């Protein structure tokens, strides 16, 4: 049985003092919640603050990006070991905003995924089609290519440490969420792709999140689908009560 995992991707929002009030509120909201893994992914500048505030709680920490090299002359970049040093256990990689605005492709995402795993960070690897690709009937081709390319060369154990996030680009920040059936279809396709890459047993163990306009009102239905193992939440993760409601929707 896969444990559900809900992560909040704060994107480029919240100063460290904003982060402090949000995390304090979340600690109260989710004090007794143990039924799913909960990961906060603030911007780099908030990681140390959030890390300190979640000590001794069941909340976990993730980053939104990293570089694939261990160290060196890469101005403005952050390494996996720097994240580990702040007690980060997860890192979002290949988010569609990074693919779109920073030209990250599957080969680059794959290098980052391998570097993350080598430093014992669990990558949350994002895939998803644009509206144009969906309208052209290319969902299966686009998503399976992203999964195969981003996760190429991983062992079964490494795949099991990886989380895949299906985020249809047209549903991100638009208020237009995929229906639970639309999302389930693609999650099942991702699991089939993982089975081809590794084995049925590995595919059954990998957690696949849905992301794209998840709100308190639609989370329960999405999370009740057989292949949807939680969510990657953008806008609604910036508000403690909304995020906590979504997290609670992941309880069995
Ligand atoms: P929204 O929840 O704001 O649509 O963002 C989804 C997302 O991109 C999470 O990574």
């Amino acid at each position: 049985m896969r444990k559900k995992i809900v992560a909040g991707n704060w994107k480029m929002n919240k100063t460290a003092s904003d982060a402090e009030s949000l995390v304090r509120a979340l600690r109260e909201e989710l004090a007794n919640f143990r039924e799913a893994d909960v990961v906060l992914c603030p911007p780099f500048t908030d990681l140390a603050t959030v890390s300190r505030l979640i000590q001794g709680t069941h909340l976990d920490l993730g980053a939104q990006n990293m570089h694939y090299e261990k160290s060196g002359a890469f101005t403005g970049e952050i390494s996996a070991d720097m994240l580990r040093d702040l007690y980060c256990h997860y890192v979002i990689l290949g988010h569609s905003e990074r693919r779109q605005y920073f030209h990250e492709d599957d080969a680059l995402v794959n290098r980052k995924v391998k570097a993350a795993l080598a430093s014992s960070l669990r990558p949350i690897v994002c895939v998803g089609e644009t509206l144009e690709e969906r309208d052209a009937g290319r969902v299966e081709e686009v998503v399976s290519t992203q999964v195969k390319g981003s996760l190429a060369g991983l062992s079964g154990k490494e795949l099991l440490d990886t989380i895949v996030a299906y985020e249809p680009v047209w549903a991100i920040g638009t208020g237009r969420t995929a229906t639970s059936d639309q999302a389930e279809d693609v999650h099942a396709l991702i699991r089939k792709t993982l089975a081809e890459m590794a084995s049925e047993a590995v595919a059954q163990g990998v957690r696949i999140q849905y992301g794209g306009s998840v709100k308190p009102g639609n989370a329960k239905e999405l999370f009740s689908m057989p292949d949807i193992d939680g969510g990657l939440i953008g806008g609604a993760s910036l508000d403690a009560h909304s995020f906590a409601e979504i997290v609670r929707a992941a309880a069995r």
Side-chain angles (χ1 to χ4, degrees), residues 116-176:
L117 288 163
S119 291
S120 303
L121 282 170
R122 292 169 185 260
I124 298 176
V125 181
C126 304
V127 298
E129 81 287 355
T130 62
L131 189 58
E132 204 178 22
E133 290 162 342
R134 174 164 284 264
D135 288 344
R138 296 180 53 217
V139 176
E140 177 158 356
E141 171 210 331
V142 168
V143 173
S144 69
T145 302
Q146 288 176 339
V147 169
K148 285 182 194 152
S150 303
L151 305 181
L154 268 55
S155 68
K157 161 144 196 342
E158 288 174 325
L159 285 170
L160 288 168
D161 284 336
T162 299
I163 292 110
V164 178
Y166 169 56
E167 297 206 309
V169 177
W170 48 271
I172 295 176
T174 57
R176 184 181 160 195

Short mmCIF file of all heavy atoms in Angstrom, two decimals, residues 116-176:
data_model
loop_
_atom_site.label_atom_id
_atom_site.label_comp_id
_atom_site.label_asym_id
_atom_site.label_seq_id
_atom_site.Cartn_x
_atom_site.Cartn_y
_atom_site.Cartn_z
N ALA A 116 20.62 14.02 -7.24
CA ALA A 116 19.80 14.06 -6.03
C ALA A 116 19.84 12.71 -5.33
O ALA A 116 20.12 12.62 -4.12
CB ALA A 116 18.36 14.43 -6.39
N LEU A 117 19.58 11.64 -6.08
CA LEU A 117 19.56 10.30 -5.49
C LEU A 117 20.92 9.94 -4.90
O LEU A 117 21.00 9.32 -3.84
CB LEU A 117 19.14 9.28 -6.55
CG LEU A 117 17.65 9.35 -6.94
CD1 LEU A 117 17.41 8.61 -8.25
CD2 LEU A 117 16.76 8.80 -5.83
N ALA A 118 22.00 10.35 -5.57
CA ALA A 118 23.35 10.05 -5.08
C ALA A 118 23.61 10.75 -3.74
O ALA A 118 24.44 10.31 -2.96
CB ALA A 118 24.39 10.48 -6.11
N SER A 119 22.89 11.83 -3.47
CA SER A 119 23.03 12.53 -2.18
C SER A 119 21.86 12.22 -1.25
O SER A 119 21.61 12.96 -0.30
CB SER A 119 23.11 14.04 -2.41
OG SER A 119 24.33 14.38 -3.03
N SER A 120 21.15 11.11 -1.53
CA SER A 120 20.03 10.67 -0.68
C SER A 120 18.91 11.70 -0.58
O SER A 120 18.27 11.82 0.47
CB SER A 120 20.51 10.30 0.73
OG SER A 120 21.47 9.31 0.65
N LEU A 121 18.69 12.46 -1.65
CA LEU A 121 17.50 13.31 -1.72
C LEU A 121 16.48 12.57 -2.58
O LEU A 121 16.85 11.96 -3.59
CB LEU A 121 17.82 14.63 -2.42
CG LEU A 121 18.54 15.71 -1.63
CD1 LEU A 121 18.96 16.82 -2.60
CD2 LEU A 121 17.65 16.27 -0.55
N ARG A 122 15.21 12.65 -2.20
CA ARG A 122 14.17 12.03 -3.02
C ARG A 122 13.67 13.05 -4.05
O ARG A 122 13.09 14.06 -3.66
CB ARG A 122 12.98 11.60 -2.16
CG ARG A 122 13.30 10.47 -1.22
CD ARG A 122 12.17 10.29 -0.23
NE ARG A 122 12.51 9.27 0.74
CZ ARG A 122 12.08 8.01 0.69
NH1 ARG A 122 11.23 7.64 -0.25
NH2 ARG A 122 12.45 7.13 1.59
N PRO A 123 13.88 12.78 -5.33
CA PRO A 123 13.40 13.73 -6.33
C PRO A 123 11.89 13.60 -6.55
O PRO A 123 11.34 12.50 -6.56
CB PRO A 123 14.16 13.32 -7.60
CG PRO A 123 14.68 11.95 -7.36
CD PRO A 123 14.65 11.67 -5.89
N ILE A 124 11.26 14.75 -6.69
CA ILE A 124 9.85 14.81 -7.13
C ILE A 124 9.92 15.29 -8.57
O ILE A 124 10.18 16.46 -8.83
CB ILE A 124 9.04 15.79 -6.26
CG1 ILE A 124 9.03 15.34 -4.79
CG2 ILE A 124 7.62 15.96 -6.80
CD1 ILE A 124 8.31 16.31 -3.83
N VAL A 125 9.75 14.38 -9.51
CA VAL A 125 10.02 14.67 -10.92
C VAL A 125 8.72 14.99 -11.64
O VAL A 125 7.80 14.16 -11.69
CB VAL A 125 10.72 13.47 -11.59
CG1 VAL A 125 11.02 13.79 -13.04
CG2 VAL A 125 12.01 13.14 -10.84
N CYS A 126 8.65 16.21 -12.18
CA CYS A 126 7.40 16.68 -12.79
C CYS A 126 7.35 16.39 -14.29
O CYS A 126 8.33 16.61 -15.00
CB CYS A 126 7.25 18.17 -12.58
SG CYS A 126 7.33 18.66 -10.86
N VAL A 127 6.19 15.93 -14.72
CA VAL A 127 5.93 15.70 -16.15
C VAL A 127 4.53 16.21 -16.45
O VAL A 127 3.72 16.38 -15.54
CB VAL A 127 6.04 14.20 -16.52
CG1 VAL A 127 7.44 13.67 -16.25
CG2 VAL A 127 5.01 13.37 -15.75
N GLY A 128 4.26 16.47 -17.71
CA GLY A 128 2.90 16.90 -18.06
C GLY A 128 2.88 17.59 -19.41
O GLY A 128 3.86 18.20 -19.83
N GLU A 129 1.73 17.49 -20.06
CA GLU A 129 1.60 18.03 -21.41
C GLU A 129 1.00 19.43 -21.41
O GLU A 129 0.31 19.81 -20.46
CB GLU A 129 0.70 17.09 -22.25
CG GLU A 129 -0.81 17.25 -22.05
CD GLU A 129 -1.32 16.71 -20.71
OE1 GLU A 129 -0.53 16.13 -19.95
OE2 GLU A 129 -2.53 16.90 -20.42
N THR A 130 1.25 20.18 -22.46
CA THR A 130 0.61 21.48 -22.65
C THR A 130 -0.80 21.26 -23.24
O THR A 130 -1.11 20.15 -23.69
CB THR A 130 1.40 22.36 -23.63
OG1 THR A 130 1.40 21.70 -24.90
CG2 THR A 130 2.83 22.58 -23.18
N LEU A 131 -1.57 22.32 -23.26
CA LEU A 131 -2.92 22.22 -23.83
C LEU A 131 -2.85 21.87 -25.32
O LEU A 131 -3.61 21.04 -25.82
CB LEU A 131 -3.67 23.54 -23.63
CG LEU A 131 -5.15 23.50 -24.00
CD1 LEU A 131 -5.87 22.42 -23.18
CD2 LEU A 131 -5.80 24.85 -23.75
N GLU A 132 -1.90 22.50 -25.98
CA GLU A 132 -1.71 22.24 -27.41
C GLU A 132 -1.42 20.75 -27.67
O GLU A 132 -1.98 20.14 -28.59
CB GLU A 132 -0.51 23.07 -27.88
CG GLU A 132 -0.50 23.40 -29.33
CD GLU A 132 0.72 24.27 -29.66
OE1 GLU A 132 1.72 24.26 -28.89
OE2 GLU A 132 0.66 24.95 -30.69
N GLU A 133 -0.57 20.18 -26.82
CA GLU A 133 -0.24 18.76 -26.97
C GLU A 133 -1.45 17.88 -26.67
O GLU A 133 -1.70 16.88 -27.35
CB GLU A 133 0.94 18.41 -26.06
CG GLU A 133 2.25 19.02 -26.55
CD GLU A 133 3.37 19.09 -25.52
OE1 GLU A 133 3.09 18.97 -24.30
OE2 GLU A 133 4.53 19.27 -25.92
N ARG A 134 -2.22 18.26 -25.65
CA ARG A 134 -3.43 17.47 -25.34
C ARG A 134 -4.41 17.54 -26.51
O ARG A 134 -4.96 16.53 -26.94
CB ARG A 134 -4.08 17.98 -24.04
CG ARG A 134 -5.43 17.31 -23.74
CD ARG A 134 -5.88 17.50 -22.31
NE ARG A 134 -5.16 16.66 -21.37
CZ ARG A 134 -5.60 15.47 -20.92
NH1 ARG A 134 -6.77 15.00 -21.31
NH2 ARG A 134 -4.89 14.77 -20.07
N ASP A 135 -4.63 18.76 -27.02
CA ASP A 135 -5.59 18.92 -28.12
C ASP A 135 -5.15 18.16 -29.37
O ASP A 135 -5.98 17.74 -30.17
CB ASP A 135 -5.80 20.40 -28.45
CG ASP A 135 -6.60 21.11 -27.35
OD1 ASP A 135 -7.23 20.40 -26.53
OD2 ASP A 135 -6.58 22.36 -27.31
N ALA A 136 -3.84 17.98 -29.51
CA ALA A 136 -3.33 17.24 -30.68
C ALA A 136 -3.30 15.73 -30.42
O ALA A 136 -2.76 14.97 -31.24
CB ALA A 136 -1.94 17.75 -31.03
N GLY A 137 -3.84 15.29 -29.27
CA GLY A 137 -3.89 13.85 -28.98
C GLY A 137 -2.53 13.26 -28.66
O GLY A 137 -2.29 12.06 -28.87
N ARG A 138 -1.62 14.08 -28.13
CA ARG A 138 -0.25 13.61 -27.91
C ARG A 138 0.10 13.37 -26.44
O ARG A 138 1.28 13.28 -26.10
CB ARG A 138 0.73 14.63 -28.52
CG ARG A 138 0.61 14.77 -30.04
CD ARG A 138 1.60 15.77 -30.58
NE ARG A 138 2.96 15.46 -30.13
CZ ARG A 138 3.88 16.37 -29.79
NH1 ARG A 138 3.59 17.64 -29.84
NH2 ARG A 138 5.07 15.98 -29.39
N VAL A 139 -0.89 13.26 -25.57
CA VAL A 139 -0.61 13.14 -24.14
C VAL A 139 0.28 11.94 -23.85
O VAL A 139 1.30 12.04 -23.16
CB VAL A 139 -1.93 13.02 -23.32
CG1 VAL A 139 -1.63 12.80 -21.86
CG2 VAL A 139 -2.79 14.25 -23.52
N GLU A 140 -0.09 10.79 -24.39
CA GLU A 140 0.63 9.56 -24.08
C GLU A 140 2.10 9.66 -24.52
O GLU A 140 3.01 9.35 -23.75
CB GLU A 140 -0.07 8.38 -24.78
CG GLU A 140 0.65 7.08 -24.56
CD GLU A 140 -0.25 5.86 -24.77
OE1 GLU A 140 -1.47 6.03 -25.02
OE2 GLU A 140 0.28 4.73 -24.68
N GLU A 141 2.27 10.13 -25.76
CA GLU A 141 3.63 10.26 -26.30
C GLU A 141 4.47 11.24 -25.47
O GLU A 141 5.61 10.94 -25.08
CB GLU A 141 3.51 10.76 -27.76
CG GLU A 141 4.79 11.17 -28.44
CD GLU A 141 4.54 12.28 -29.48
OE1 GLU A 141 3.42 12.33 -30.05
OE2 GLU A 141 5.44 13.09 -29.68
N VAL A 142 3.90 12.41 -25.17
CA VAL A 142 4.66 13.45 -24.46
C VAL A 142 5.02 12.98 -23.05
O VAL A 142 6.17 13.07 -22.62
CB VAL A 142 3.84 14.77 -24.41
CG1 VAL A 142 4.46 15.77 -23.44
CG2 VAL A 142 3.73 15.37 -25.80
N VAL A 143 4.04 12.46 -22.34
CA VAL A 143 4.28 12.10 -20.94
C VAL A 143 5.20 10.90 -20.83
O VAL A 143 6.13 10.88 -20.02
CB VAL A 143 2.94 11.89 -20.19
CG1 VAL A 143 3.18 11.34 -18.80
CG2 VAL A 143 2.15 13.19 -20.13
N SER A 144 5.00 9.89 -21.68
CA SER A 144 5.87 8.72 -21.56
C SER A 144 7.31 9.06 -21.97
O SER A 144 8.27 8.58 -21.37
CB SER A 144 5.33 7.52 -22.33
OG SER A 144 5.41 7.76 -23.71
N THR A 145 7.47 9.97 -22.94
CA THR A 145 8.83 10.40 -23.30
C THR A 145 9.49 11.14 -22.14
O THR A 145 10.68 10.92 -21.85
CB THR A 145 8.78 11.34 -24.55
OG1 THR A 145 8.16 10.61 -25.62
CG2 THR A 145 10.16 11.79 -24.98
N GLN A 146 8.74 11.99 -21.47
CA GLN A 146 9.31 12.72 -20.32
C GLN A 146 9.69 11.76 -19.20
O GLN A 146 10.75 11.89 -18.58
CB GLN A 146 8.29 13.75 -19.79
CG GLN A 146 8.12 14.95 -20.72
CD GLN A 146 7.03 15.91 -20.23
OE1 GLN A 146 6.15 15.53 -19.46
NE2 GLN A 146 7.08 17.14 -20.70
N VAL A 147 8.82 10.79 -18.93
CA VAL A 147 9.11 9.82 -17.85
C VAL A 147 10.37 9.03 -18.21
O VAL A 147 11.30 8.91 -17.40
CB VAL A 147 7.91 8.88 -17.61
CG1 VAL A 147 8.28 7.72 -16.69
CG2 VAL A 147 6.73 9.65 -17.03
N LYS A 148 10.41 8.51 -19.43
CA LYS A 148 11.57 7.68 -19.81
C LYS A 148 12.85 8.51 -19.82
O LYS A 148 13.90 8.04 -19.38
CB LYS A 148 11.34 7.08 -21.21
CG LYS A 148 10.35 5.93 -21.19
CD LYS A 148 10.20 5.36 -22.60
CE LYS A 148 8.98 4.45 -22.68
NZ LYS A 148 8.40 4.41 -24.02
N GLY A 149 12.78 9.73 -20.33
CA GLY A 149 13.99 10.56 -20.42
C GLY A 149 14.45 11.06 -19.06
O GLY A 149 15.64 11.01 -18.74
N SER A 150 13.52 11.51 -18.24
CA SER A 150 13.90 12.09 -16.95
C SER A 150 14.40 11.03 -15.98
O SER A 150 15.20 11.32 -15.09
CB SER A 150 12.70 12.81 -16.32
OG SER A 150 12.21 13.81 -17.20
N LEU A 151 13.89 9.80 -16.13
CA LEU A 151 14.23 8.75 -15.17
C LEU A 151 15.13 7.68 -15.79
O LEU A 151 15.29 6.59 -15.23
CB LEU A 151 12.94 8.10 -14.63
CG LEU A 151 11.92 9.08 -14.01
CD1 LEU A 151 10.71 8.32 -13.49
CD2 LEU A 151 12.56 9.88 -12.88
N ALA A 152 15.76 8.00 -16.92
CA ALA A 152 16.60 7.01 -17.61
C ALA A 152 17.75 6.54 -16.72
O ALA A 152 18.35 7.32 -16.00
CB ALA A 152 17.16 7.63 -18.88
N GLY A 153 17.99 5.23 -16.76
CA GLY A 153 19.17 4.68 -16.08
C GLY A 153 19.04 4.50 -14.58
O GLY A 153 20.01 4.17 -13.90
N LEU A 154 17.85 4.70 -14.03
CA LEU A 154 17.67 4.52 -12.58
C LEU A 154 17.43 3.05 -12.26
O LEU A 154 16.74 2.35 -13.01
CB LEU A 154 16.48 5.35 -12.07
CG LEU A 154 16.78 6.76 -11.56
CD1 LEU A 154 17.53 7.59 -12.59
CD2 LEU A 154 15.50 7.46 -11.15
N SER A 155 17.99 2.59 -11.14
CA SER A 155 17.73 1.22 -10.69
C SER A 155 16.31 1.17 -10.10
O SER A 155 15.69 2.21 -9.83
CB SER A 155 18.74 0.84 -9.61
OG SER A 155 18.50 1.62 -8.45
N GLY A 156 15.84 -0.05 -9.88
CA GLY A 156 14.52 -0.22 -9.26
C GLY A 156 14.46 0.49 -7.91
O GLY A 156 13.48 1.17 -7.60
N LYS A 157 15.51 0.35 -7.12
CA LYS A 157 15.52 0.98 -5.79
C LYS A 157 15.47 2.50 -5.94
O LYS A 157 14.77 3.18 -5.18
CB LYS A 157 16.77 0.54 -5.04
CG LYS A 157 17.13 1.45 -3.90
CD LYS A 157 17.70 0.80 -2.69
CE LYS A 157 17.67 1.69 -1.45
NZ LYS A 157 17.51 3.12 -1.64
N GLU A 158 16.22 3.02 -6.92
CA GLU A 158 16.21 4.49 -7.11
C GLU A 158 14.82 4.96 -7.56
O GLU A 158 14.35 6.02 -7.13
CB GLU A 158 17.28 4.89 -8.12
CG GLU A 158 18.70 4.76 -7.55
CD GLU A 158 19.78 5.02 -8.60
OE1 GLU A 158 19.60 4.65 -9.78
OE2 GLU A 158 20.83 5.56 -8.22
N LEU A 159 14.19 4.18 -8.42
CA LEU A 159 12.83 4.56 -8.85
C LEU A 159 11.88 4.58 -7.65
O LEU A 159 11.02 5.46 -7.54
CB LEU A 159 12.32 3.59 -9.91
CG LEU A 159 12.92 3.77 -11.31
CD1 LEU A 159 12.52 2.61 -12.22
CD2 LEU A 159 12.49 5.10 -11.93
N LEU A 160 12.06 3.64 -6.74
CA LEU A 160 11.17 3.58 -5.57
C LEU A 160 11.39 4.77 -4.63
O LEU A 160 10.51 5.13 -3.85
CB LEU A 160 11.35 2.26 -4.82
CG LEU A 160 10.78 1.05 -5.56
CD1 LEU A 160 11.24 -0.25 -4.93
CD2 LEU A 160 9.25 1.11 -5.60
N ASP A 161 12.58 5.38 -4.70
CA ASP A 161 12.86 6.58 -3.90
C ASP A 161 12.41 7.85 -4.62
O ASP A 161 12.55 8.95 -4.08
CB ASP A 161 14.36 6.69 -3.61
CG ASP A 161 14.79 5.73 -2.51
OD1 ASP A 161 13.93 5.32 -1.71
OD2 ASP A 161 15.99 5.37 -2.48
N THR A 162 11.93 7.69 -5.84
CA THR A 162 11.55 8.84 -6.67
C THR A 162 10.04 9.02 -6.62
O THR A 162 9.30 8.03 -6.58
CB THR A 162 12.01 8.59 -8.12
OG1 THR A 162 13.44 8.46 -8.11
CG2 THR A 162 11.62 9.72 -9.06
N ILE A 163 9.59 10.25 -6.63
CA ILE A 163 8.16 10.53 -6.74
C ILE A 163 7.95 11.18 -8.11
O ILE A 163 8.73 12.05 -8.50
CB ILE A 163 7.70 11.48 -5.60
CG1 ILE A 163 7.79 10.73 -4.26
CG2 ILE A 163 6.27 11.97 -5.80
CD1 ILE A 163 8.84 11.20 -3.37
N VAL A 164 6.94 10.74 -8.81
CA VAL A 164 6.61 11.39 -10.09
C VAL A 164 5.41 12.29 -9.83
O VAL A 164 4.48 11.92 -9.11
CB VAL A 164 6.26 10.33 -11.17
CG1 VAL A 164 5.87 11.01 -12.49
CG2 VAL A 164 7.43 9.38 -11.39
N ALA A 165 5.45 13.51 -10.38
CA ALA A 165 4.30 14.40 -10.26
C ALA A 165 3.75 14.66 -11.66
O ALA A 165 4.47 15.19 -12.51
CB ALA A 165 4.70 15.71 -9.60
N TYR A 166 2.51 14.24 -11.88
CA TYR A 166 1.85 14.56 -13.15
C TYR A 166 1.19 15.92 -13.01
O TYR A 166 0.25 16.09 -12.22
CB TYR A 166 0.82 13.50 -13.53
CG TYR A 166 -0.04 13.94 -14.70
CD1 TYR A 166 0.54 14.33 -15.90
CD2 TYR A 166 -1.43 14.01 -14.59
CE1 TYR A 166 -0.23 14.78 -16.97
CE2 TYR A 166 -2.21 14.45 -15.65
CZ TYR A 166 -1.60 14.83 -16.83
OH TYR A 166 -2.37 15.28 -17.89
N GLU A 167 1.70 16.89 -13.77
CA GLU A 167 1.16 18.25 -13.72
C GLU A 167 0.84 18.72 -15.13
O GLU A 167 1.72 19.25 -15.83
CB GLU A 167 2.17 19.20 -13.09
CG GLU A 167 2.52 18.87 -11.65
CD GLU A 167 2.98 20.10 -10.89
OE1 GLU A 167 3.87 20.82 -11.35
OE2 GLU A 167 2.40 20.34 -9.82
N PRO A 168 -0.40 18.53 -15.59
CA PRO A 168 -0.75 19.05 -16.90
C PRO A 168 -0.56 20.57 -16.91
O PRO A 168 -1.08 21.25 -16.03
CB PRO A 168 -2.22 18.66 -17.06
CG PRO A 168 -2.72 18.26 -15.72
CD PRO A 168 -1.54 17.93 -14.88
N VAL A 169 0.21 21.06 -17.86
CA VAL A 169 0.60 22.48 -17.85
C VAL A 169 -0.64 23.38 -17.88
O VAL A 169 -0.68 24.43 -17.23
CB VAL A 169 1.55 22.77 -19.04
CG1 VAL A 169 1.92 24.24 -19.10
CG2 VAL A 169 2.81 21.92 -18.94
N TRP A 170 -1.65 22.95 -18.60
CA TRP A 170 -2.88 23.75 -18.73
C TRP A 170 -3.68 23.83 -17.44
O TRP A 170 -4.62 24.63 -17.35
CB TRP A 170 -3.75 23.18 -19.86
CG TRP A 170 -3.96 21.70 -19.79
CD1 TRP A 170 -3.17 20.74 -20.36
CD2 TRP A 170 -5.00 20.99 -19.10
NE1 TRP A 170 -3.65 19.49 -20.07
CE2 TRP A 170 -4.77 19.61 -19.30
CE3 TRP A 170 -6.10 21.39 -18.33
CZ2 TRP A 170 -5.59 18.63 -18.76
CZ3 TRP A 170 -6.93 20.41 -17.79
CH2 TRP A 170 -6.67 19.06 -18.01
N ALA A 171 -3.33 23.03 -16.45
CA ALA A 171 -4.07 23.05 -15.19
C ALA A 171 -3.32 23.81 -14.10
O ALA A 171 -3.85 24.02 -13.00
CB ALA A 171 -4.35 21.62 -14.72
N ILE A 172 -2.09 24.25 -14.39
CA ILE A 172 -1.27 24.89 -13.36
C ILE A 172 -1.62 26.37 -13.24
O ILE A 172 -1.48 27.13 -14.19
CB ILE A 172 0.24 24.74 -13.68
CG1 ILE A 172 0.64 23.25 -13.61
CG2 ILE A 172 1.08 25.57 -12.72
CD1 ILE A 172 2.07 22.98 -13.99
N GLY A 173 -2.11 26.73 -12.06
CA GLY A 173 -2.39 28.12 -11.77
C GLY A 173 -3.54 28.70 -12.58
O GLY A 173 -3.72 29.92 -12.62
N THR A 174 -4.31 27.85 -13.23
CA THR A 174 -5.38 28.33 -14.10
C THR A 174 -6.76 28.17 -13.46
O THR A 174 -7.74 28.69 -13.99
CB THR A 174 -5.41 27.52 -15.42
OG1 THR A 174 -5.57 26.13 -15.09
CG2 THR A 174 -4.13 27.71 -16.20
N GLY A 175 -6.82 27.43 -12.36
CA GLY A 175 -8.11 27.13 -11.76
C GLY A 175 -8.85 26.05 -12.54
O GLY A 175 -9.94 25.63 -12.18
N ARG A 176 -8.22 25.59 -13.62
CA ARG A 176 -8.86 24.56 -14.44
C ARG A 176 -8.17 23.23 -14.16
O ARG A 176 -7.13 22.91 -14.74
CB ARG A 176 -8.66 24.96 -15.91
CG ARG A 176 -9.36 24.02 -16.83
CD ARG A 176 -9.13 24.42 -18.27
NE ARG A 176 -9.41 23.26 -19.09
CZ ARG A 176 -9.07 23.12 -20.34
NH1 ARG A 176 -8.42 24.08 -20.95
NH2 ARG A 176 -9.36 22.03 -21.00
#
